[in-house]
Amino acid sequence: MNKRLYANTGVLARHITRQDRVRLVIWMAAFLVSTLLVVSAFSTLYSSDTERQAMAETMKNPAMIAMVGPGYGLENYTVGAMLAHQMLLLTAVVVGVMNILLVARHTRGEEEDGRLELVRALPAGRLSSLASTLVVYTGANLMLALLTAVGLVTFTVESIDVEGSVLYGAALGVTGIFFAALTAVFAQLSESGRGTIGLGMAVLLLAYMVRAIGDVSSEALALASPFGWIVRTETYVTNLWWPIVVTLAAAVVLAVLAFYLNAIRDMDAGFLPSKAGKKQASRLLVHPIGLAVRLQRTGIISWAIAMFVLGASYGSVLGDLESFFADNEMMQQLLTPISGVSLTEQFLSMLMAVLAMISTIPALLFMLKLKGEEGKGRAAHLLERAVSRTRLMGSYLVLSLVGGWVMLSLAALGLGTVGNAVMEGGISLGRFYESAMAYLPAMWVMLALAVLLIGWVPRVTVVAWLYLVYSFIVVYMGGLFQFDEWVTKLSPFGHIPELPVKEVSWLALSVLTGIAAVVLLVGFAGYRKRDIQGG
């Protein structure tokens, strides 16, 4: 009986590997290249002990602890300790995102689209699809761990030893396995692919925020998050292996739970209760924009809550910054005082850029949903009725524009409200909001790029995500890598004035808005002309 439950798992695993071979290569290459680039940058820019200790001083403030985790080995801040401190957590978060997206695609996504039913009609076991997915992505995460470890060892940096490199790779690998297993559980609970991804992303963000708050205020709270376990490996310092064991054990428990739930549930059913639909459709559903909102309602609500809480979590540590800067001579030397601008306000400009780029993620998701609807043949059904292509694409664009503004607003309000509650002097809430709204033109350029790709070459919409990743690297880590100014200016976020440190550049904002408008027009023109899949 057990053999029949897993019949032809190997065949399905090979099929999944073939389907995702390009995606996996891109993900693996991105992780490996970015990690090795950071090692190269650290080795070059911080070649002396004095320079590394100066960087260690900047990492002791609560805001940086909340962002990248507690520092270990700060008294002897080697290149290895610096790499683990500043990159391990952020890379682990992205590894979690990769596993959520890909595992959801091959579990609930396949079932929702009806392909799993076709597989079940063949000599495949009831649990074979889930088993093959977990086998492939467990293998992918182990491969990521191996490639990362080998890449770090071959870099021949003195403080990056073999044990620490293996531990660094293992930390990324078990994080991926944990979120793959967690997503497999959510695929049994939710009735839709977007619900599975929404639950996975919500838990990932919650885990990150719980760890951020815990690292600043409570060790016990930090240990309630899987990310809290990973940063406590103390890689390249003391090299602790217990977090790897704990994370892997939790992943095994989640995987067993996923198999059990999959074995007892009906096809297309989920364990989370779904309320009965209305007898009569809402008037909102008569219009394409109403349908777009309804299809993404769960994601909109989840992202709105997450962005406010994320902003609030960063705001909760602002109260300690001024005292930290005041007592730290090294920080006073590194941050040049600007007349009329506090040191906390200077630090806020970096936080706001990060929040703006994170807020762009849901906006892009809302826009790219149109491509997903087309791929499933549902967009063609709408276009067969009295709905024009311009109106259909415009509806998703309006949703993404409004959604992006809402997400950025909530992040700024969370940051400002909680920040003012813990700061003695306080900063005007309007100043928080103004510095956030300055990033809207950059977000519009990103959305215009997505529209352009959907309109002309929908198969390569991944370019929009790659461009956002590029923007994050050059804007957030540009100072670290010491990029030339033109490299940063290739991103729309690189043209945004860092309020409140700098004055508003209306020319730059106007040019970005104009570029977004032109690119949007070209994208709409392409969408009106090209063939629609399923049409």
Side-chain angles (χ1 to χ4, degrees), residues 13-42:
R14 289 193 294 273
H15 177 64
I16 292 172
T17 303
R18 180 174 176 79
Q19 277 186 301
D20 283 359
R21 63 188 185 280
V22 176
R23 291 184 181 87
L24 287 174
V25 168
I26 292 174
W27 278 105
M28 297 285 181
F31 287 126
L32 188 59
V33 170
S34 61
T35 300
L36 297 183
L37 280 176
V38 170
V39 174
S40 177
F42 283 160

Side-chain angles (χ1 to χ4, degrees), residues 373-374 377-385 392 532-535:
E373 292 296 294
E374 179 184 347
R378 294 196 282 256
H381 288 304
L382 287 175
L383 295 173
E384 289 173 354
R385 307 182 189 284
L392 179 62
I532 299 297
Q533 186 175 343

Side-chain angles (χ1 to χ4, degrees), residues 448-509:
L449 174 61
V451 170
L452 179 70
L453 295 172
I454 293 172
W456 291 95
V457 279
R459 289 187 177 182
V460 296
T461 49
V462 68
V463 170
W465 294 114
L466 294 176
Y467 191 38
L468 182 60
V469 171
Y470 170 83
S471 299
F472 183 84
I473 292 173
V474 299
V475 174
Y476 176 60
M477 305 181 72
L480 171 64
F481 293 117
Q482 293 188 348
F483 290 133
D484 292 335
E485 185 178 359
W486 68 268
V487 176
T488 305
K489 295 298 183 182
L490 289 177
S491 165
F493 293 94
H495 294 271
I496 303 300
E498 297 178 351
L499 303 180
V501 177
K502 298 180 180 179
E503 296 292 330
V504 177
S505 175
W506 293 109
L507 177 61
L509 299 182

Side-chain angles (χ1 to χ4, degrees), residues 318 321-322 325 335 338-352 415 420 423 425-432 434-435 498-502:
L318 294 182
L321 287 182
E322 284 296 333
F325 291 144
L335 286 178
I338 299 176
S339 178
V341 180
S342 67
L343 294 176
T344 299
E345 287 177 308
Q346 293 184 54
F347 201 80
L348 279 178
S349 63
M350 182 188 71
L351 288 180
M352 200 58 74
L415 180 67
N420 279 325
M423 287 190 292
I427 301 172
S428 167
L429 192 60
R431 207 162 193 181
F432 280 98
E434 180 186 12
S435 61
E498 297 178 351
L499 303 180
V501 177
K502 298 180 180 179

Side-chain angles (χ1 to χ4, degrees), residues 50-273:
T50 303
E51 291 171 329
R52 289 193 294 271
Q53 288 310 123
M55 173 57 72
E57 290 298 320
T58 70
M59 303 303 293
K60 292 179 180 179
N61 73 81
M64 294 308 299
I65 292 173
M67 188 174 294
V68 300
Y72 298 101
L74 292 178
E75 65 284 350
N76 181 25
Y77 209 42
T78 63
V79 172
M82 188 184 298
L83 173 68
H85 182 203
Q86 299 186 32
M87 287 298 296
L88 179 58
L89 175 62
L90 297 179
T91 309
V93 170
V94 182
V95 170
V97 171
M98 176 192 78
N99 281 273
I100 291 170
L101 294 176
L102 296 180
V103 172
R105 178 173 180 263
H106 288 287
T107 50
R108 179 55 72 171
E110 294 284 313
E111 188 170 345
E112 185 180 21
D113 293 340
R115 289 190 287 268
L116 183 58
E117 189 172 1
L118 296 176
V119 171
R120 290 272 186 92
L122 300 172
R126 181 182 181 88
L127 302 179
S128 297
S129 179
L130 177 60
S132 61
T133 300
L134 290 181
V135 165
V136 169
Y137 286 103
T138 297
N141 286 299
L142 292 176
M143 180 60 69
L144 172 63
L146 178 62
L147 290 174
T148 303
V150 171
L152 290 171
V153 169
T154 55
F155 226 87
T156 63
V157 176
E158 183 179 356
S159 58
I160 298 182
D161 57 10
V162 174
E163 183 183 1
S165 299
V166 173
L167 181 58
Y168 190 100
L172 296 180
V174 297
T175 300
I177 294 172
F178 175 87
F179 280 99
L182 182 67
T183 307
V185 172
F186 288 148
Q188 316 311 315
L189 300 180
S190 175
E191 289 187 339
S192 66
R194 65 178 180 271
T196 301
I197 293 174
L199 288 171
M201 292 296 187
V203 170
L204 183 142
L205 288 172
L206 180 63
Y208 180 82
M209 289 183 285
V210 166
R211 180 224 44 91
I213 297 171
D215 282 343
V216 173
S217 60
S218 169
E219 179 77 6
L221 183 61
L223 290 175
S225 165
F227 291 129
W229 308 336
I230 292 303
V231 298
R232 279 157 182 77
T233 54
E234 300 186 23
T235 310
Y236 296 118
V237 181
T238 56
N239 292 330
L240 302 178
W241 284 87
W242 69 261
I244 306 298
V245 176
V246 172
T247 307
L248 194 57
V252 171
V253 172
L254 289 171
V256 171
L257 177 60
F259 280 115
Y260 172 73
L261 294 176
N262 194 19
I264 64 174
R265 73 175 177 87
D266 295 331
M267 176 77 77
D268 294 329
F271 286 95
L272 291 179

